[in-house]
Amino acid sequence: MSKNHKSSSTEPASDKALTLPSSVAGSGTLDRLVDTARDYAKASTAENTNKAYATDWKHFARWCRLKGTDPLPPSPEMIGLYIADLAAPTGPSPALSVSTIERRLSGLAWNYAQRGFALDRKERHIATVLAGIKRKHARPPAQKEAILAEDILAMVATLGFDLRGLRDRSILLLGYAGGLRRSEIVSLDAHKDDTPDSGGWIDILDDGVLLTLNAKTGWREVEIGRGSSDQTCPVHALEQWLHFAKIDFGPIFTRTSRDGKRALEARLNDKHVARLIKRCVLDAGLRADLPEKERLALFSGHSLRAGLASSAEVDERYVQKQLGHASAEMTRRYQRRRDRFRVNLTKAAGL
């Protein structure tokens, strides 16, 4: 194995992505711009995605070493063997799902691009193996249960009216009405540019609240109107939390003190949303016909998004815009309860 190859396989992709031509290397000003450009390049993908891609590369590089080969330059034949080993491993490692294998391929393609190589996933040694894996192992995607209108009302009814209760009520109602991802909920700030790790901010207006979000698909605005009563209104719940928590700057949803009487400065982790949903599902008695373990497995942060998509009796395009989906087909995947034959194309075609 050559020294250059060894270096390329171990150094982080972000450090190899941007370099200066030898003719201008050593310029202090340009060196600083390279560092700035690297920061922007790193920000082109979400932090969790960067971590996953780094893990994908380490796993593949280690697999190559164990097989006595080098990860660089890319070899479609070896990558085809690699994904076959992921789907049907010979050792103690569990077989990976099709979606995870596809994610691994995306991670490898990204890492190769940072190192100046192109990985063609349509190359026959990769594409045919992946197609075979899909035919043999693919399963319909496991969908989380949708939290419908009656469910969310039962869930918020289990919460108290202390500071934590006000916060969690606001999280559930805002997440449901906005069709928000759990990461989007906790990333909100009171104003634009309040904190470096902000994922968006809010503007409370007479008719509702406007969220400006920097989400997976880019910037988007989410309008959440006022509800029919204070008890179920997400905007009123948000106002109550902000007022009693005395939050007018920085993260909207923060931790509270041990006695529950003060809001702290630390932003909540998105895992809090998942834990909150599962706790309230149990407390509200949702799907009580199932054992507790199965009930907990049915619900997650995506249950809020699926609930909005399934419950909102409006034109599908408005739901699509609210969820930030690029296609109507993606929105339909979130709809657990809809009239599939409301538009009968058979009759419309004259049959």
Side-chain angles (χ1 to χ4, degrees), residues 133-159:
I133 291 172
K134 287 181 177 180
R135 285 183 62 86
K136 191 168 183 179
H137 300 292
R139 298 185 299 273
Q143 293 186 322
K144 295 298 183 180
E145 189 98 348
I147 293 174
L148 304 177
E150 58 270 26
D151 300 327
I152 199 72
L153 295 180
M155 290 168 66
V156 298
T158 66
L159 299 170

Side-chain angles (χ1 to χ4, degrees), residues 91-332:
S93 300
L96 299 186
S97 67
V98 173
S99 60
T100 301
I101 292 172
E102 289 185 312
R103 211 289 318 286
R104 288 275 178 94
L105 275 176
S106 297
L108 293 185
W110 186 89
N111 275 283
Y112 276 124
Q114 306 313 302
R115 290 166 169 82
F117 295 97
L119 176 63
D120 183 7
R121 292 177 56 173
K122 295 181 180 179
E123 206 280 338
R124 64 185 183 89
H125 291 95
I126 300 175
T128 54
V129 173
L130 183 60
I133 291 172
K134 287 181 177 180
R135 285 183 62 86
K136 191 168 183 179
H137 300 292
R139 298 185 299 273
Q143 293 186 322
K144 295 298 183 180
E145 189 98 348
I147 293 174
L148 304 177
E150 58 270 26
D151 300 327
I152 199 72
L153 295 180
M155 290 168 66
V156 298
T158 66
L159 299 170
F161 289 91
D162 57 357
L163 206 54
R164 288 196 187 102
L166 292 177
R167 178 197 64 194
D168 291 345
R169 181 176 284 100
S170 178
I171 287 174
L172 290 178
L173 291 174
L174 203 71
Y176 177 80
L180 304 177
R181 301 175 178 88
R182 65 188 196 186
S183 59
E184 293 172 342
I185 297 172
V186 299
S187 71
L188 286 168
D189 277 4
H191 311 97
K192 182 180 179 181
D193 299 329
D194 274 358
T195 62
D197 60 341
S198 170
W201 65 92
I202 65 170
D203 290 296
I204 298 180
L205 309 172
D206 290 342
D207 294 330
V209 61
L210 177 66
L211 312 182
T212 304
L213 296 169
N214 186 9
K216 287 176 64 176
T217 53
W219 286 99
R220 82 176 194 275
E221 290 185 343
V222 173
E223 300 173 4
I224 300 178
R226 294 187 181 272
S228 55
S229 71
D230 286 349
Q231 287 71 30
T232 62
C233 176
V235 184
H236 178 75
L238 177 62
E239 291 173 326
Q240 290 286 292
W241 158 246
L242 294 177
H243 172 72
F244 287 103
K246 300 178 181 178
I247 292 176
D248 56 10
F249 181 85
I252 291 295
F253 295 113
T254 67
R255 299 173 59 188
T256 60
S257 58
R258 287 182 178 273
D259 58 12
K261 295 180 179 180
R262 290 183 300 109
L264 305 179
E265 294 182 359
R267 188 189 302 276
L268 278 179
N269 188 287
D270 67 336
K271 292 179 181 178
H272 172 82
V273 180
R275 290 193 294 265
L276 171 64
I277 290 170
K278 292 180 183 295
R279 188 182 79 235
C280 289
V281 160
L282 292 180
D283 292 346
L286 303 189
R287 293 305 308 267
D289 56 307
L290 298 175
E292 181 176 309
K293 186 176 180 179
E294 291 183 29
R295 292 166 66 193
L296 290 175
L298 275 178
F299 295 92
S300 74
H302 263 58
S303 296
L304 295 177
R305 286 167 65 77
L308 176 75
S310 303
S311 300
E313 299 292 340
V314 296
D315 192 299
E316 190 176 75
R317 57 183 171 162
Y318 295 113
V319 180
Q320 180 183 339
K321 179 178 181 293
Q322 190 85 335
L323 296 181
H325 288 154
S327 67
E329 182 58 36
M330 177 59 72
T331 301
R332 294 187 190 108

